[in-house]
């Protein structure tokens, strides 16, 4: 419940102002239940003010913050409701309360009375989540019907008056994997990797030959800095090995069975390539640093990605998005498994390795994995629409795509979609934000420009620059060893 007051103080004579002040206060008071809140408009004209809009269309009087505090107020409100920026208006925040379905415990969701889901989830997040996937699907369906997607629930003409002309989709040609000989050409005499942007472009276009993955993945996953020498990497590897076994001594309470169970879908490809538990661990830590929000109990990371995916699909193909919306599938929850473990269950093992190393280049844009989803859906849309698939048929059809996808075709189309979006002159701000296309980078003589217009240092990866705080905490920056954040190793332990 929100209670707000806005009133003017009056000067009362003869000591008779007490009751009048109370009446004046009550006259300007208003209250409402947060469950009735539809959106919040936030403006700043000299000082910040907030206007609440209820689901019945009522616009309540503005609350002014003459001395700041609007941010703190919204942060406090977020403890009770979920607030998302409306893609079409930055000043409007869409509000949704956690539905009863969404706020229920996973314990009830998966009917596991012998061993709590949350406990299992912490020990083996992927296996536990996917073990009850059919129930999770229904759970997501109910949860995503909450008002948080009100922008998506509105009629299409209210969201996009017309289909934005993206222009023709470019043709993209892929090349063969980067070979050991090519990789060697990008190293100086001391082992530093040179012209990193161009090398990443090559990896994007063709991936890596398998013999090279064990070395190259350590750079892509920020275990090794791109500008490190052979000797520096040996010293780093020795320190990280010592640190790993020191931490392992603290995990004596973890049984071998639990450790095996934690070799989940996300870890197994890395362990297969590294053939060494220490190297695999540190690479896995870096990977989980990127995707850990997928496994949080409130699943906010998954919800955000599905909202972003819906926004992209709506831009790319409004007719298909409208069709899915009409089939109660506009929330794209059938893509849940794709996003949760980065297509691990959809592709053959070697194709997973190819896809992941391409995504780890962070090219050609931010959140490239969402465009991979769009590419797959684009290939299947005609079949779905022509056969008039409904809710159940769509879910069944998407699930049956597993192990039937052509990774090279998907990557070509994904990159083509990215180029098509980038060539659009009137790109919506929300899409630019999702794909990181409006990031301003300070110019520098030491920077090089990749094929995709990304300015980056030839001796550092974009991830090291963009997420320097994380890299430092992992002990990668300047080869310094620091204490690790306990939550990162918790995914293993």
């Amino acid at each position: 419940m929100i209670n707000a007051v806005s009133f003017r103080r009056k000067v009362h004579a003869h000591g008779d102002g007490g009751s009048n002040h109370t009446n004046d206060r009550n006259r300007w008071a208003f209250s409402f239940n947060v469950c009735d809140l539809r959106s919040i408009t936030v403006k700043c004209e000299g000082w910040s003010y907030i206007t609440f809009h209820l689901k019945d269309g009522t616009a309540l009087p503005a609350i002014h913050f003459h001395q700041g505090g609007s941010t703190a107020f919204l942060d406090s409100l977020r403890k009770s409701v979920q607030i998302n920026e409306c893609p079409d208006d930055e000043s409007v925040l869409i509000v949704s309360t956690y539905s009863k379905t969404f706020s229920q415990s996973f314990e009830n969701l998966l009917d596991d009375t012998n061993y709590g889901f949350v406990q299992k989830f912490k020990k083996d997040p992927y296996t536990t989540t996917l073990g009850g996937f059919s129930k999770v699907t229904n759970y997501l369906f109910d949860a995503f019907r909450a008002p948080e997607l009100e922008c998506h629930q509105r009629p299409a003409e209210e969201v996009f008056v017309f289909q934005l002309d993206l222009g023709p989709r470019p043709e993209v040609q892929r090349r063969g994997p980067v070979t050991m000989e090519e990789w060697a050409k990008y190293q100086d005499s001391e082992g530093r990797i040179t012209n990193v942007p161009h090398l990443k472009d090559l990896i994007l276009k063709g991936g890596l030959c398998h013999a090279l993955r064990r070395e190259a993945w350590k750079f892509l996953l920020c275990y090794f800095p791109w500008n490190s020498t052979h000797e520096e990497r040996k010293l780093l590897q020795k320190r990280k090995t010592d640190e790993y076994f020191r931490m392992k001594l603290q995990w004596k309470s973890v049984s071998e069975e639990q450790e095996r169970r934690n070799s989940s879908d996300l870890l197994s490809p890395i362990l297969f390539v590294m053939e060494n538990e220490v190297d695999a661990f540190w690479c896995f830590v870096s990977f989980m640093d990127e995707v850990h929000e997928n496994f949080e109990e409130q699943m906010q990371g998954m919800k955000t990605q599905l909202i972003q995916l819906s926004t992209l699909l709506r831009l790319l193909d409004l007719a298909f998005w409208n069709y899915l919306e009409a089939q109660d599938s506009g929330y794209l929850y059938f893509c849940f498994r794709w996003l949760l473990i980065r297509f691990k269950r959809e592709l053959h093992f070697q194709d997973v390795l190819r896809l992941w190393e391409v995504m780890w280049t962070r090219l050609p844009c931010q959140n490239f994995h969402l465009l991979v989803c769009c590419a797959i859906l684009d290939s299947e849309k005609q079949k779905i629409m022509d056969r008039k698939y409904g809710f159940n048929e769509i879910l069944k059809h998407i699930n049956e795509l597993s192990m039937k996808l052509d990774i090279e075709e998907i990557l070509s189309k994904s990159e083509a979609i990215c180029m098509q979006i980038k060539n659009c002159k009137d790109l919506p701000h929300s899409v630019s934000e999702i794909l990181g296309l409006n990031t301003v980078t300070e110019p520098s003589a030491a920077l090089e420009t990749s094929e995709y217009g990304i300015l980056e240092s030839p001796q550092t990866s974009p991830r090291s620059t963009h997420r320097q705080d994380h890299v430092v905490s992992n002990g990668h920056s300047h080869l310094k060893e620091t204490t690790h954040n306990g939550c990162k190793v918790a995914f293993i332990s």
Side-chain angles (χ1 to χ4, degrees), residues 387-445:
R387 297 180 181 179
K388 295 181 171 56
Y389 282 162
F391 171 81
N392 291 327
E393 291 84 5
I394 293 173
L395 181 61
K396 181 175 182 291
H397 177 74
I398 295 299
N399 283 340
E400 290 177 349
L401 292 177
S402 178
M403 302 302 158
K404 299 176 183 177
L405 299 171
D406 184 331
I407 187 59
E408 295 298 325
E409 179 183 326
I410 290 170
L411 288 173
S412 295
K413 180 173 286 190
S414 303
E415 187 179 351
I417 290 173
C418 181
M419 295 171 65
Q420 182 184 26
I421 291 175
K422 286 184 176 182
N423 291 335
C424 178
K425 295 181 180 179
D426 300 314
L427 195 63
H429 176 73
S430 58
V431 174
S432 297
E433 285 287 325
I434 292 170
L435 300 181
L437 303 182
N438 55 355
T439 303
V440 178
T441 307
E442 292 296 329
S444 170

Side-chain angles (χ1 to χ4, degrees), residues 304-319:
T304 298
Q305 290 177 84
L306 288 169
I307 292 171
Q308 292 174 335
L309 179 56
S310 181
T311 300
L312 292 173
L313 186 62
R314 186 176 61 189
L315 170 76
L316 291 167
D317 197 325
L318 183 58

